[in-house]
Amino acid sequence: MTFKIAVLPGDGIGPEVTREAVRVLRAVSEGRFELQFEDLPIGGTAVKQFGSPLPERTVERCLASDAVLMGAVGGPEFDSLPPALKPETGLLGIRKALGGFANLRPAIAYDMLTENSPLRPEILKGADILFVRELLGGAYFGQPRGFANEGALRTGFNTMIYSVSEVERVAHVAFKVARDRRKKVTSVDKANVLEVSQLWREVVIEVAKQYPDVKLEHQLVDSCAMRLVTAPGSFDVVLAENLFGDILSDEAAALTGSLGMLPSATVGGKVNLFEPIHGSAPDIAGKGIANPLGAIATAAMLLRYSLHREQEARAIEQAILQVLGAGYRTADLKHGSNERLAGTEEMGRLVLEAISTGSTIPARA
Ligand code: IPM
Ligand code: MN
């Protein structure tokens, strides 16, 4: 069996962390199934080389692949580019072209990393949240958008809009994944103010009727932000529209103490897209100190959701825990006298070693 993986390293630390993720994918696939990798340009790097943050060929090749693995895009040198040339425009463009509308972002508080969290351990304990962020609608893509000038009055505007079917399809994903977890969905909205949220809530209530075994609760986005830091352990699946999900998932990533460690998977479209949650971190790019564990965990999600290789996905996730358990930390994580500081490549190599010595993958047939 052969799978084609389109690799979009992008900008900043994207290339260095993606390299480690690809190494890990090669290792777990060896002798089991074949992976063909193809590197493609996106973001600021693509602007420099091809004059576009998303060259057409990148889109074509991604659409012809079995899964897309992304690094990160963006950086200060590209901030002053016009909107059409911004690296982020390339990212939104590939999301739209691939069509995945449900972005799964797990945020898990690992005991080993509690000292990295700004929260007290007793508050953080047990937090294990899966965000289902709607990724193709809301203010990110809504029309009309733009700037306007009326006399002396200059305005900027966006439209937060959802159709019934857009809410339905992402709500189904949330309820389905909740079934495999603790069977609870918290739907986030701002229904006390926004019509778009009132529609969101109505539709989620309708969809919930098909999942009587899953408990549904609604929470306003502001109080959800508060509850995330006061009782993060009280959530299971959090379903949110695009912008709310963007904001809340960063908050959750920070409170688990491991922004550099969190993966994401975007499903539901023609080809699934996998990207770590962390950005391009231009300040540390090229120094060999970036944490590759977010990218490596993203590779695990790719195996799980696109290649249906649960066993190999788990092997990677356990290897990550093993390496952390052995006391290795990248510079973004606290490292006391009991921990050893490791660079990007070393961390990748340690994960590889943990996989090959781990008992999680049975001997090859
Ligand atoms: C994310 C990022 C992106 C987003 C940016 C880079 C466009 O913040 O994936 O969360 O807002 O979706
Ligand atoms: Mn974000």
Side-chain angles (χ1 to χ4, degrees):
M1 210 184 295
T2 303
F3 300 101
K4 284 187 248 167
I5 314 289
V7 181
L8 277 50
D11 309 322
I13 62 168
E16 22 188 326
V17 296
T18 306
R19 195 175 306 132
E20 299 310 316
V22 168
R23 269 216 268 178
V24 168
L25 283 172
R26 280 193 205 285
V28 295
S29 65
E30 215 183 287
R32 300 166 159 266
F33 49 94
E34 202 187 325
L35 295 180
Q36 280 172 5
F37 296 96
E38 183 180 14
D39 271 22
L40 297 160
I42 193 170
T45 317
V47 172
K48 278 191 188 162
Q49 277 184 25
F50 303 97
S52 159
L54 184 61
E56 239 164 71
R57 191 171 151 271
T58 295
V59 177
E60 278 165 24
R61 302 302 303 155
C62 285
L63 284 170
S65 67
D66 294 293
V68 178
L69 179 65
M70 261 255 328
V73 299
E77 56 174 316
F78 311 115
D79 282 348
S80 52
L81 290 172
L85 291 182
K86 279 200 193 309
E88 290 78 7
T89 304
L91 175 57
L92 296 187
I94 193 68
R95 284 179 181 170
K96 189 163 189 183
L98 298 179
F101 52 81
N103 179 221
L104 312 182
R105 300 188 158 191
I108 304 171
Y110 294 110
D111 284 345
M112 285 178 277
L113 295 177
T114 42
E115 60 172 338
N116 288 277
S117 173
L119 297 190
R120 289 202 304 276
E122 69 270 25
I123 292 179
L124 187 64
K125 201 164 180 45
D128 176 356
I129 309 171
L130 180 62
F131 284 86
V132 178
R133 170 189 174 193
E134 200 292 324
L135 206 64
L136 289 187
Y140 275 64
F141 293 94
Q143 295 290 344
R145 66 186 295 162
F147 299 100
N149 290 294
E150 279 179 49
L153 185 71
R154 179 154 190 268
T155 57
F157 54 94
N158 292 88
T159 305
M160 193 188 270
I161 181 166
Y162 275 100
S163 67
V164 169
S165 64
E166 283 174 322
V167 182
E168 275 172 356
R169 62 184 189 176
V170 72
H172 278 291
V173 172
F175 285 105
K176 283 190 181 128
V177 293
R179 273 190 168 156
D180 292 332
R181 295 173 49 100
R182 300 188 301 281
K183 300 192 171 48
K184 185 170 143 192
V185 170
T186 305
S187 173
V188 176
D189 62 42
K190 188 69 185 172
N192 53 345
V193 179
L194 305 176
E195 283 80 0
V196 60
S197 279
Q198 288 154 18
L199 180 106
W200 177 279
R201 194 178 279 211
E202 265 170 40
V203 174
V204 172
I205 289 172
E206 268 314 299
V207 172
K209 291 178 182 161
Q210 298 176 41
Y211 305 86
D213 51 324
V214 179
K215 187 176 177 307
L216 169 66
E217 64 175 8
H218 305 277
Q219 183 140 34
L220 299 174
V221 62
D222 49 351
S223 72
C224 185
M226 191 172 64
R227 187 173 142 202
L228 272 174
V229 289
T230 53
S234 65
F235 293 100
D236 179 15
V237 173
V238 175
L239 167 64
E241 68 89 41
N242 206 346
L243 181 59
F244 296 164
D246 177 46
I247 297 167
L248 295 176
S249 62
D250 258 32
E251 187 189 355
L255 67 85
T256 64
S258 53
L259 185 60
M261 296 225 357
L262 299 189
S264 92
T266 302
V267 301
K270 299 182 198 109
V271 182
N272 294 337
L273 172 65
F274 300 86
E275 38 177 329
I277 286 190
H278 64 68
S280 56
D283 51 321
I284 59 162
K287 295 188 177 161
I289 59 171
N291 187 347
L293 296 181
I296 293 172
T298 297
M301 288 191 98
L302 184 154
L303 289 166
R304 170 171 300 127
Y305 290 104
S306 277
L307 312 190
H308 307 290
R309 292 278 172 173
E310 179 63 27
Q311 204 182 28
E312 287 81 2
R314 286 217 182 142
I316 293 176
E317 288 163 350
Q318 289 185 9
I320 291 173
L321 291 180
Q322 227 172 297
V323 170
L324 291 172
Y328 292 97
R329 300 287 185 271
T330 38
D332 55 309
L333 301 170
K334 274 192 189 141
H335 39 280
S337 49
N338 293 327
E339 282 94 32
R340 275 164 288 177
L341 191 60
T344 310
E345 251 187 78
E346 184 181 6
M347 212 60 172
R349 187 170 46 73
L350 288 163
V351 172
L352 285 179
E353 278 169 22
I355 290 170
S356 61
T357 57
S359 54
T360 44
I361 298 190
R364 278 184 230 153

